[in-house]
Amino acid sequence: MTTFAAPASPRVDPREYHANISRVPYLPGLDGMRALAVVAVMIYHANSTWLPGGFLGVEMFFVISGYLITLLIIAERERTYTVSLTAFWKRRARRLLPALFVLLAGVTIYTVVFEPDAVGQLRGDVIASALYGANWYQLFVGLGYTAAFDFAPLRHLWSLAVEEQFYLVWPLVMIALLGRRGTRRIANVSRWLFVAAVAIAIFTALAYHPGFIGEPEQTPEAYWWIGDRPISKLDFLYIGSFSRASGILLGAAFAMVWRPFAVARGPLGRRGPVFDVVALVSLAGFAWMCWNLYLVTPEGTADGRLFQGGLFLSSVLTVFVIAAVSHPRARTNRVLGNRVLVWIGVRSYGLYLFHWPVYQAIRGLAGNKLTVMEFVVAMAITAVITEASFRLVETPIRKGTFLAGVRSLRRSTHPGRRNATVVGFAAVGALTVFAGATLATAEVKQNEIADDLAAAQDDTVSLSDVGFDADVPVPITVAVPLDPPDGRVDDLVPATTEAAPVTTSAMTETTVVSSATTLPATTEPGTTPPATTVPVVPVVPGTTVPVVPATTAPPPPPPPAPTQLGVVSDLSTVTPLGIPPAGGPNAVPIIALGDSVMLGAAGELAAKGVFVDAATSRQFTAYLPEVQAIKDLGRLGSVVVVHLGTNGSFSQSSLDSMMAILADVPVVIFVTGKADRSWVGGNNEMIRALPSVYPNVTVIDWEVLGRQCPGDCFYDDNIHLNQNGQNYYADIVGRVIGI
């Protein structure tokens, strides 16, 4: 316990003077604010398209915590001239730890039983969450807030870690700030806290990466690097303790200048209606931000509006609402303190803890979105678990009656109740011990999607790499007589191929390079191909002889343009397009450019002779310079397959830019997207319209055909392909091309 000296006063006992203005009243409106915050977060976590900025509810929690904790410390100092660190931390532990331990035990048991492959990865999350370091652990291992492929039932605990770190450090800071001067000058300190909050907001605005965020190898500028370990700037700014301290500091600064009973006695005490208007405008502004701001935009970039002032503004709006809620003559406290919102707000901590793992149990992966019915079911389950935890664990432990309640059940004269208690505790204990032992020894495994995509990288190429070699042109074997009886060389090089040097030796066969046609292996000596005559060329072993195109017959007409199939959504009527001759000496006949969906089928496509350049997190617009580089290197051949648009939206101008690059490719095949993402529908509409504008384009409507895949073809995210889906995908592409 830290004790301060009481200021001297010859007439009035300071303890009596501060008795009223230091008291922190119960404000039901603050519980109402917590209810609004947790509901916004739960909606956002269920389906981010329903409320894109619902995550701002966490910022409201931070500001409320900063305000109340600081107000309580100031009140304690004024009442008793002491600040008991032990009592403060004990109150926080009794309030927060019981539900957290229930959550960790329940999640561990569930994962061991139903998600055994994820147990090893869960171990680090459990330890970090128990130590209130979940946010830093997630940053270190690279599984931040936006990672989508994992079963991650504890990812939401980053915010609890930020608050607990504040609870640990802030009382020490307050003791240093209060010192022997007490609270008389504490208002002067608030301005420096405000300045610190503004400085953090400025740092966040300057540090965020405005461009596309891909894998570290794709966009290294979107990461900070600690040695070889990438730290996402987006995740650091969103879940880092320092960058998220701005809201907490604003709440703390406001507590130093705005104490409810002191306000009632001051000149603002009669301005309640004004504060009601301020609260209404602030709540409307906060709601607008929740509806319009993003963490990551549909284009795959961090939302600049959020990181360049949005987080700070949401904190300021929360402060305005707190001012109205805590004003004794404003109606905001009564409106937000209605029974429904108070019920939710009182249980907001449990609702926040339990809703996320319930969501994960229903949808499997962090990135999947819940349907309306799934959301309703999840909320019902969450409410039951939260109420049970609140009544049976949290409240009894907070009030110090938990052990007494257990003892009363054990001593019950009712045999059924007593036996049920013993069996229940024994079963929970056994399950917890078993789950803990399994957690401690489990092997760490990547999720199956990440494993599959990592393995598929071996079947891809980087077509924009200057050093890439696809062994093109194709070697063709042609017979050349060692001693021509009449001094002539008979060759079957068609008139449509470019002249190429032929190097002879003491062998009877010579390799002739052609970029377009595979020729018969031999020609009978002494025969002349119909309508094809090659001039007499003396052949000396070891010399190079030019092959001259035929002159006795006119060249054949160019091959007809491939038949355009339009939009392919029914395989029963598909006529293969074929592979027309095209390209220069470096051209790759069939190439496929795509994101992680195509990457999953890279091995199956490669087996059909397709060169696959695909990568995870690839964005359509950001990839255009690389496609241009592929063209500049002369590698665009007869057929180009493009499957992009899963990871973000693109504009019509970007699509037209892609077609300008691919204008000379005889066959261009676009593949529509299939994913539960808000931007996919718009992308697909633009893709389906391409054949009506560009005659060399055919569209494979994967959104339609993917749903027709026989059997189980997708992983749990319903986007990426398992082995059955990979085969199906490659067969569709091969059938349309004719390979």
Side-chain angles (χ1 to χ4, degrees):
M1 177 181 292
T2 301
T3 304
F4 302 97
S9 175
R11 291 177 296 178
V12 180
D13 185 347
R15 297 172 188 260
E16 295 180 3
Y17 177 78
H18 290 299
N20 288 326
I21 65 172
S22 298
R23 185 163 58 90
V24 180
Y26 169 63
L27 299 170
L30 290 182
D31 281 327
M33 292 179 66
R34 291 191 182 98
L36 296 178
V38 77
V39 168
V41 171
M42 291 190 298
I43 292 174
Y44 171 76
H45 283 166
N47 191 324
S48 60
T49 60
W50 295 345
L51 196 64
F55 55 84
L56 290 172
V58 173
E59 194 70 7
M60 183 173 283
F61 275 122
F62 286 163
V63 177
I64 294 173
S65 293
Y67 177 76
L68 278 181
I69 294 304
T70 304
L71 199 63
L72 289 170
I73 293 174
I74 292 174
E76 181 181 359
R77 171 66 174 84
E78 289 184 341
R79 287 195 313 271
T80 65
Y81 303 106
T82 63
V83 175
S84 174
L85 294 176
T86 302
F88 175 85
W89 287 329
K90 185 181 293 185
R91 288 194 302 269
R92 292 292 88 201
R94 294 176 73 170
R95 174 68 182 92
L96 300 176
L97 291 181
L100 175 66
F101 290 157
V102 169
L103 171 74
L104 296 180
V107 165
T108 302
I109 292 171
Y110 177 89
T111 306
V112 167
V113 175
F114 297 104
E115 299 284 347
D117 289 341
V119 175
Q121 196 172 86
L122 181 70
R123 179 170 54 244
D125 289 321
V126 170
I127 296 172
S129 299
L131 298 176
Y132 288 110
N135 61 329
W136 296 114
Y137 173 76
Q138 291 174 20
L139 284 172
F140 183 76
V141 300
L143 293 176
Y145 196 63
T146 56
F149 293 162
D150 293 281
F151 173 75
L154 300 177
R155 184 168 293 165
H156 65 311
L157 295 185
W158 71 269
S159 63
L160 187 61
V162 172
E163 287 208 43
E164 279 300 311
Q165 292 159 26
F166 165 70
Y167 297 150
L168 180 65
V169 173
W170 192 241
L172 301 174
V173 175
M174 286 297 295
I175 289 173
L177 293 176
L178 291 169
R180 290 184 174 274
R181 295 176 298 176
T183 60
R184 288 176 296 174
R185 299 182 181 178
I186 195 66
N188 295 331
V189 177
S190 65
R191 71 184 65 174
W192 297 110
L193 295 183
F194 180 80
V195 169
V198 171
I200 292 172
I202 293 174
F203 165 79
T204 301
L206 296 175
Y208 102 103
H209 174 67
F212 166 64
I213 303 170
E215 297 298 314
E217 298 78 12
Q218 297 173 332
T219 56
E221 66 279 3
Y223 296 81
W224 285 304
W225 296 80
I226 302 177
D228 294 332
R229 183 175 294 277
I231 304 296
S232 168
K233 292 180 181 179
L234 171 68
D235 288 334
F236 179 87
L237 295 176
Y238 187 73
I239 69 176
S241 302
F242 171 74
S243 53
R244 294 310 296 270
S246 180
I248 295 175
L249 292 178
L250 280 178
F254 190 59
M256 293 177 179
V257 298
W258 190 270
R259 284 174 278 174
F261 286 104
V263 171
R265 298 181 181 185
L268 295 177
R270 297 182 180 274
R271 301 298 181 109
V274 174
F275 284 90
D276 286 330
V277 174
V278 170
L280 181 62
V281 173
S282 298
L283 286 173
F286 196 94
W288 183 91
M289 295 177 71
C290 289
W291 187 260
N292 289 279
L293 296 191
Y294 293 86
L295 179 58
V296 178
T297 67
E299 291 74 30
T301 64
D303 192 339
R305 298 171 300 170
L306 176 70
F307 291 98
Q308 292 183 314
L311 285 171
F312 183 81
L313 178 58
S314 67
S315 298
V316 171
L317 294 177
T318 302
V319 167
F320 288 158
V321 179
I322 292 175
V325 165
S326 57
H327 195 286
R329 294 183 181 273
R331 297 184 178 182
T332 305
N333 186 44
R334 294 193 294 274
V335 173
L336 293 181
N338 66 77
R339 296 180 62 180
V340 174
L341 290 183
V342 167
W343 189 93
I344 297 173
V346 168
R347 293 158 179 79
S348 59
Y349 176 61
L351 290 170
Y352 184 83
L353 283 184
F354 296 114
H355 84 279
W356 178 267
V358 171
Y359 287 3
Q360 297 308 96
I362 292 175
R363 63 188 173 193
L365 299 180
N368 288 352
K369 294 177 172 59
L370 296 181
T371 65
V372 173
M373 183 55 65
E374 288 173 337
F375 175 65
V376 172
V377 172
M379 284 294 91
I381 296 172
T382 300
V384 170
I385 296 174
T386 298
E387 187 67 13
S389 173
F390 182 77
R391 290 181 177 273
L392 302 179
V393 179
E394 298 172 55
T395 301
I397 290 178
R398 187 171 68 253
K399 294 182 176 180
T401 61
F402 181 77
L403 293 179
V406 173
R407 285 193 294 267
S408 68
L409 288 174
R410 291 179 57 189
R411 295 170 183 171
S412 174
T413 57
H414 192 287
R417 182 180 302 174
R418 184 174 62 250
N419 293 338
T421 301
V422 173
V423 172
F425 274 97
V428 171
L431 277 174
T432 303
V433 171
F434 169 72
T438 304
L439 184 74
T441 58
E443 177 186 357
V444 178
K445 299 178 181 179
Q446 281 196 105
N447 63 76
E448 56 185 355
I449 297 177
D451 276 341
D452 199 12
L453 295 180
Q457 290 287 352
D458 294 337
D459 297 307
T460 64
V461 297
S462 179
L463 292 165
S464 60
D465 185 358
V466 175
F468 167 75
D469 181 10
D471 294 326
V472 177
V474 180
I476 302 170
T477 302
V478 180
V480 179
L482 180 61
D483 296 308
D486 55 0
R488 300 172 62 88
V489 176
D490 294 327
D491 201 332
L492 289 179
V493 179
T496 55
T497 54
E498 297 179 359
V502 179
T503 303
T504 62
S505 62
M507 299 175 61
T508 59
E509 291 187 339
T510 293
T511 298
V512 179
V513 178
S514 169
S515 62
T517 308
T518 301
L519 305 180
T522 60
T523 300
E524 292 295 331
T527 63
T528 302
T532 303
T533 304
V534 181
V536 176
V537 181
V539 179
V540 179
T543 63
T544 299
V545 181
V547 178
V548 182
T551 58
T552 59
T563 302
Q564 185 190 50
L565 300 182
V567 179
V568 177
S569 57
D570 183 1
L571 296 178
S572 63
T573 60
V574 169
T575 301
L577 291 167
I579 310 173
N586 295 321
V588 182
I590 308 175
I591 65 176
L593 313 173
D595 52 31
S596 56
V597 178
M598 178 182 283
L599 175 61
E604 289 67 28
L605 290 171
K608 295 179 177 294
V610 180
F611 288 83
V612 181
D613 187 338
T616 58
S617 302
R618 180 171 281 171
Q619 285 269 349
F620 190 105
T621 303
Y623 187 56
L624 286 174
E626 289 191 56
V627 182
Q628 182 64 55
I630 295 170
K631 178 181 180 180
D632 293 342
L633 291 168
R635 289 176 180 155
L636 296 180
S638 303
V639 180
V640 175
V641 183
V642 180
H643 191 170
L644 294 167
T646 307
N647 299 305
S649 65
F650 52 79
S651 64
Q652 184 63 50
S653 62
S654 293
L655 195 57
D656 292 336
S657 296
M658 175 72 79
M659 286 311 305
I661 298 172
L662 304 179
D664 296 330
V665 178
V667 176
V668 178
I669 300 173
F670 273 84
V671 184
T672 63
K674 179 187 176 299
D676 184 16
R677 300 291 185 266
S678 60
W679 54 82
V680 169
N683 290 350
N684 289 347
E685 287 304 310
M686 288 186 286
I687 290 174
R688 292 186 183 109
L690 286 175
S692 63
V693 180
Y694 299 98
N696 59 337
V697 172
T698 290
V699 173
I700 294 177
D701 201 340
W702 178 243
E703 185 177 39
V704 175
L705 294 173
R707 291 195 292 265
Q708 301 173 9
C709 181
D712 181 17
C713 297
F714 297 91
Y715 286 116
D716 287 344
D717 64 350
N718 203 33
I719 297 174
H720 293 90
L721 307 169
N722 60 23
Q723 187 59 61
N724 188 37
Q726 293 162 16
N727 294 337
Y728 177 71
Y729 181 95
D731 287 345
I732 290 176
V733 174
R735 185 169 178 178
V736 170
I737 297 174
I739 54 176

